[in-house]
């Protein structure tokens, strides 16, 4: 049996906005569900796992995290209800806030690289807050770092074959960090600002980010929703 879960949010930026989805249950583990497809992001790549519910018949099963375990995407549940199909419903309010912060992180990392040659080593985003860890120190940021929402740039997502990737296409991204097994890579592009390989979820336009604060503290930069 094919136990690969299709993660719909990887297909396009529009698919990052799916809030509910009919699913087939491929297998049930002692702590969660493997589904044929999902709208929930699994923990990793600097973005937390999603939360929500899996509706099976009259039962509403709480999904408290999504993880990847032995190549399977597992929707972790506190209680297991048997079933073959259901409706997956996302905690959208939380996820949308994470999408805003993740998009903001891409733009900040791109500006840091373009203006100062500073690379992002690692980043973490949460609901309404994020952190970026850098390879060099910075304390003062130019005005455009604070205007990413006002710039109202469109965001696109598309896949390209791994062999067509090259360092000049994705300047700031470390391609060495991509999993070796990957054949197609999901690219997230912020118009005129950034292109990066990423498996997370993002908003369609930077205007959706809304008002935010930003603080550079040497090799660490913090940002969050006002
Ligand atoms: Zn991303």
């Amino acid at each position: 049996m094919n136990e690969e879960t299709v993660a719909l949010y990887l297909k396009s930026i529009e698919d990052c906005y799916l809030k509910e989805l009919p699913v087939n249950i491929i297998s049930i583990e002692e702590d969660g569900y493997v589904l044929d497809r999902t709208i929930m992001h699994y923990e990793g790549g600097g973005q937390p796992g999603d939360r929500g519910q899996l509706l099976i018949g009259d039962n509403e099963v709480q999904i408290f995290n999504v993880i990847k375990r032995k190549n399977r995407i597992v929707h972790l549940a506190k209680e297991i209800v048997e079933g073959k199909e259901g409706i997956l419903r996302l905690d959208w309010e939380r996820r949308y806030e994470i999408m805003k912060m993740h998009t903001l992180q891409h733009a900040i990392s791109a500006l840091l690289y373009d203006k100062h040659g500073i690379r992002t080593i690692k980043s973490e985003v949460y609901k309404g807050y994020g952190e970026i860890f850098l390879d060099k120190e910075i304390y003062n940021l130019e005005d455009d770092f604070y205007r990413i929402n006002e710039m109202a740039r469109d965001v696109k997502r598309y896949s390209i074959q791994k062999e067509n990737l090259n360092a000049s296409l994705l300047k700031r991204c470390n391609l060495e960090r991509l999993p070796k097994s990957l054949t197609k890579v999901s690219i997230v592009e912020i118009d005129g600002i950034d292109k990066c390989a990423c498996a997370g979820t993002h908003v369609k336009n930077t205007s959706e980010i809304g008002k935010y604060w930003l603080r550079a503290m040497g090799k660490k930069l913090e940002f969050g929703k006002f």
Side-chain angles (χ1 to χ4, degrees):
M1 192 197 285
N2 178 14
E3 297 210 326
E4 191 107 322
T5 305
V6 178
L8 295 181
Y9 56 84
L10 288 175
K11 296 195 169 191
S12 72
I13 202 81
E14 286 74 24
D15 288 313
C16 292
Y17 288 75
L18 292 170
K19 299 167 187 73
E20 208 173 272
L21 182 77
V23 293
N24 292 309
I25 297 166
I26 299 178
S27 67
I28 297 179
E29 311 213 338
E30 61 175 16
D31 58 351
Y33 295 85
V34 180
L35 308 173
D36 63 338
R37 51 189 199 150
T38 191
I39 46 176
M40 290 191 178
H41 182 264
Y42 62 86
E43 189 183 301
Q47 184 178 326
D50 274 319
R51 298 177 191 159
Q53 294 89 37
L54 179 60
L55 313 177
I56 303 173
D58 293 332
N59 298 290
E60 187 177 289
V61 176
Q62 297 300 320
I63 304 296
F64 65 91
N65 197 7
V66 184
I67 59 165
K68 196 158 193 182
R69 187 167 62 205
K70 293 178 190 160
N71 283 323
R72 288 195 218 183
I73 298 174
V74 185
H75 298 71
L76 298 177
K78 289 206 175 109
E79 43 150 9
I80 298 294
V81 173
E82 297 288 325
K84 289 197 159 40
E85 57 187 28
I87 296 190
L88 192 60
R89 186 189 288 156
L90 196 61
D91 176 348
W92 172 251
E93 193 253 330
R94 174 176 179 269
R95 214 307 263 298
Y96 188 42
E97 294 304 320
I98 294 172
M99 279 162 58
K100 295 176 190 175
M101 292 297 111
H102 199 151
T103 312
L104 181 58
Q105 179 266 313
H106 280 231
I108 295 169
S109 289
L111 291 176
L112 282 168
Y113 185 72
D114 284 349
K115 290 177 174 289
H116 303 281
I118 297 177
R119 280 184 187 273
T120 293
I121 297 167
K122 190 174 103 108
S123 61
E124 296 285 345
V125 293
Y126 308 92
K127 183 184 173 186
Y129 174 73
E131 303 168 313
I132 305 178
F133 299 89
L134 310 170
D135 70 345
K136 292 188 202 95
E137 289 192 352
I138 189 161
Y139 292 92
N140 296 305
L141 301 168
E142 291 88 344
D143 283 351
D144 37 356
F145 280 91
Y146 298 90
R147 295 184 45 249
I148 291 162
N149 55 336
E150 291 165 34
M151 290 179 203
R153 299 298 177 94
D154 282 332
V155 183
K156 283 188 294 190
R157 154 165 264 171
Y158 48 89
S159 295
I160 58 178
Q161 293 297 123
K162 197 180 178 186
E163 59 265 27
N164 295 332
L165 277 181
N166 61 62
S168 65
L169 181 65
L170 304 172
K171 294 177 293 182
R172 72 170 182 88
C173 293
N174 187 353
L175 301 177
E176 307 283 302
R177 279 168 58 188
L178 295 174
K180 300 262 178 292
S181 58
L182 227 57
T183 53
K184 268 187 177 178
V185 180
S186 179
I187 304 297
V188 176
E189 178 173 346
I190 304 176
D191 189 34
I193 298 183
D194 189 39
K195 270 185 205 169
C196 192
C198 185
T201 59
H202 311 83
V203 294
K204 284 181 207 166
N205 188 287
T206 65
S207 62
E208 291 179 47
I209 295 167
K211 290 198 171 158
Y212 62 92
W213 57 267
L214 179 58
R215 184 166 57 180
M217 302 173 293
K219 287 193 171 181
K220 187 182 174 190
L221 200 145
E222 287 185 332
F223 54 93
K225 181 188 161 90
F226 263 129

